[in-house]
Amino acid sequence: MNSVSPESAGFSSKRLRRLSDRMQSYIDRGRLAGVLTMLARRGEVFHNETYGMQDIESGIPVKDDTIFRLYSMTKPITSVAVMMLYEEGHFSLDDPVGKFIPEFANMKVLDGMGETGIRLVDQHRPITIRHLLTHTSGLSYGLMKDTPIDAMYHEARIADADSTLKEVMDRLGKIPLVHQPGTKWRYSMSSTVLGYLAEVISGQSFDQFLRDRLFAPLKMHDTSFFAPESKLDRLATAYVPSRGGGIAAHEGSVTARHKRPHAMQSGGAGLVSTAPDYLRFCQMLLNGGMLDSERLLAPKTVEMMVSDHLTDDLKPYIVEDRFHGYTKGCGFGLGFSIVNDIAQHGIPGSNGMYSWFGAASCYFWIDPAEELVAILMTQFLPVTWYPLHREFQAATYQALME
């Protein structure tokens, strides 16, 4: 994409220094290893800055082509993939998932605890594709401790990197739902199920479908489920808080899997990418489903995706307690958080802007009212440790002049 000055995009260079200074302060104080921030308006990049190192030990700086683990910023890509199949007439949003994935046809539902253990009941209604897209399916993630169900996810190795999507679906279908489909919002494995749905319908592996139908047309050449050996020197190291203060490299299974081929092609958290690649994906959405001469979705399909699909009784929705502030004034579309009330949201922006984030603190938003795309890339877990997203958003909009 073309690069222009902030002033030509209606932003103040002087005020954007506040954004840069804030990000640099995280580096200077040893709170983050490296960061990249990118802003584009009307299809032109007017801010693209890197800070710090992609790997402290080797001294490799963050660059434009640094590869980051997207984690849950994979979910919007999966939603687009599924909606491409929707446009081709393969299903309706309210079709039962069990029509395509039999393991989900007759799942039991948790109904509290009885004298001899968990009490289970039948589903009142089937899980639909809309439920998966809006995280109202009744599935969970294995991250919470408010029910015994999440412990079952761990025991069943739901996130095992060397299990195929089919093997994960077989295990997941045997675990009870946390709640009745459509009755609550709960962050979950729903997007991973959607990736398998794309496999079933397309007849391709999910990674091949994404390469053929999304990444190649959008020229997202650095986006995949792992960094190949030829690109490993560009994969940023993930960091966590150090017990002695500062930060330490995290090389557990959740980060190491992205350094090698693996069977689990997670539509919920599996992809790695670069900021320029993800910008192309976001700009396609802002353009109503088209980038350059490639159309992936129709404008009305994108409009439906970024509309609020939650009824009032499902709000406010909470990802987890420490992340509650970011979802105030928001609804949820087909893969995105949607700001409905900017005053309740409490962070400058626009009604109708949509966004999501990743576990290692990557974040993006798209603001149709201002024709703006914003991307922050870093590799620090947990995402709730710093108010990074709020500060990035506030610092961006305080520099918008016209």
Side-chain angles (χ1 to χ4, degrees):
M1 292 185 183
N2 293 333
S3 294
V4 298
S5 69
E7 278 69 26
S8 67
F11 278 73
S12 163
S13 295
K14 181 179 180 180
R15 282 179 166 260
L16 275 175
R17 290 309 312 168
R18 296 174 179 174
L19 166 58
S20 301
D21 290 346
R22 187 60 182 159
M23 295 299 111
Q24 185 62 46
S25 73
Y26 275 96
I27 309 301
D28 294 343
R29 290 182 289 172
R31 294 185 170 185
L32 293 173
V35 183
L36 185 153
T37 51
M38 181 177 287
L39 301 169
R41 196 177 194 195
R42 304 184 186 105
E44 297 179 311
V45 177
F46 64 89
H47 168 89
N48 181 19
E49 292 203 14
T50 60
Y51 321 81
M53 303 293 170
Q54 72 172 39
D55 178 75
I56 294 173
E57 183 178 2
S58 65
I60 300 175
V62 176
K63 301 176 184 177
D64 286 352
D65 67 351
T66 293
I67 296 172
F68 299 87
R69 298 164 186 81
L70 293 179
Y71 291 117
S72 286
M73 273 172 50
T74 301
K75 289 178 171 68
I77 292 175
T78 298
S79 293
V80 166
V82 168
M83 293 307 292
M84 292 172 71
L85 294 169
Y86 166 83
E87 285 193 334
E88 294 170 2
H90 294 287
F91 57 83
S92 74
L93 290 182
D94 296 317
D95 273 349
V97 176
K99 177 180 177 182
F100 304 92
I101 310 175
E103 293 87 345
F104 292 85
N106 296 296
M107 295 176 71
K108 293 294 184 179
V109 183
L110 178 68
D111 190 43
M113 300 298 294
E115 293 182 0
T116 59
I118 61 173
R119 186 169 58 247
L120 301 177
V121 297
D122 293 332
Q123 292 176 221
H124 295 164
R125 69 183 93 172
I127 302 172
T128 67
I129 295 170
R130 188 196 302 266
H131 291 150
L132 293 177
L133 286 161
T134 57
H135 290 285
T136 57
S137 63
L139 295 169
S140 194
Y141 229 147
L143 302 174
M144 282 71 88
K145 298 180 180 179
D146 56 337
T147 78
I149 302 300
D150 284 62
M152 296 181 186
Y153 278 57
H154 287 284
E155 293 169 5
R157 298 183 297 114
I158 291 300
D160 178 34
D162 295 311
S163 296
T164 66
L165 283 173
K166 176 64 168 64
E167 290 169 341
V168 170
M169 296 305 111
D170 289 343
R171 297 173 200 154
L172 195 56
K174 295 180 174 68
I175 301 174
L177 300 174
V178 176
H179 58 74
Q180 291 288 347
T183 61
K184 293 181 181 179
W185 192 97
R186 187 179 181 93
Y187 207 37
S188 71
M189 292 282 290
S190 290
S191 295
T192 302
V193 178
L194 288 170
Y196 182 63
L197 177 70
E199 285 194 347
V200 171
I201 292 174
S202 70
Q204 294 180 289
S205 66
F206 189 41
D207 65 335
Q208 189 65 54
F209 180 87
L210 291 177
R211 286 199 301 269
D212 291 350
R213 300 291 301 277
L214 274 80
F215 301 154
L218 292 178
K219 298 181 175 64
M220 295 172 64
H221 301 309
D222 286 324
T223 306
S224 64
F225 282 104
F226 70 99
E229 188 173 352
S230 62
K231 298 180 181 180
L232 277 177
D233 61 338
R234 293 163 49 198
L235 179 64
T237 299
Y239 290 86
V240 294
S242 172
R243 290 183 178 180
I247 60 176
H250 184 285
E251 287 300 330
S253 61
V254 73
T255 55
R257 68 176 59 190
H258 299 101
K259 295 183 177 182
R260 63 178 177 88
H262 53 274
M264 177 60 161
Q265 299 164 7
S266 171
L271 291 172
V272 299
S273 189
T274 63
D277 270 18
Y278 210 84
L279 176 62
R280 293 185 65 80
F281 172 73
C282 291
Q283 191 65 48
M284 175 274 297
L285 288 168
L286 182 57
N287 292 349
M290 185 173 184
L291 184 66
D292 300 331
S293 60
E294 297 288 346
R295 177 164 292 286
L296 272 67
L297 293 170
K300 283 296 181 181
T301 302
V302 176
E303 181 182 333
M304 180 170 66
M305 291 180 70
V306 301
S307 298
D308 184 8
H309 285 246
L310 298 188
T311 54
D312 288 343
D313 59 313
L314 298 176
K315 303 175 200 169
Y317 72 91
I318 301 173
V319 180
E320 60 173 276
D321 289 341
R322 291 178 296 177
F323 217 80
H324 180 46
Y326 294 97
T327 61
K328 289 181 178 178
C330 295
F332 202 83
L334 304 182
F336 310 89
S337 176
I338 316 292
V339 175
N340 293 326
D341 187 330
I342 198 66
Q344 288 297 314
H345 188 51
I347 312 171
S350 304
N351 287 338
M353 60 187 290
Y354 50 101
S355 64
W356 206 238
F357 61 93
S361 302
C362 294
Y363 178 53
F364 83 95
W365 78 80
I366 300 171
D367 184 341
E370 299 294 348
E371 300 176 84
L372 178 69
V373 174
I375 295 171
L376 183 152
M377 294 290 203
T378 189
Q379 297 283 265
F380 182 86
L381 300 97
V383 63
T384 54
W385 200 256
Y386 303 127
L388 197 59
H389 299 171
R390 174 179 58 78
E391 292 175 349
F392 176 45
Q393 189 171 318
T396 296
Y397 283 102
Q398 61 84 35
L400 174 59
M401 298 293 103
E402 59 184 44

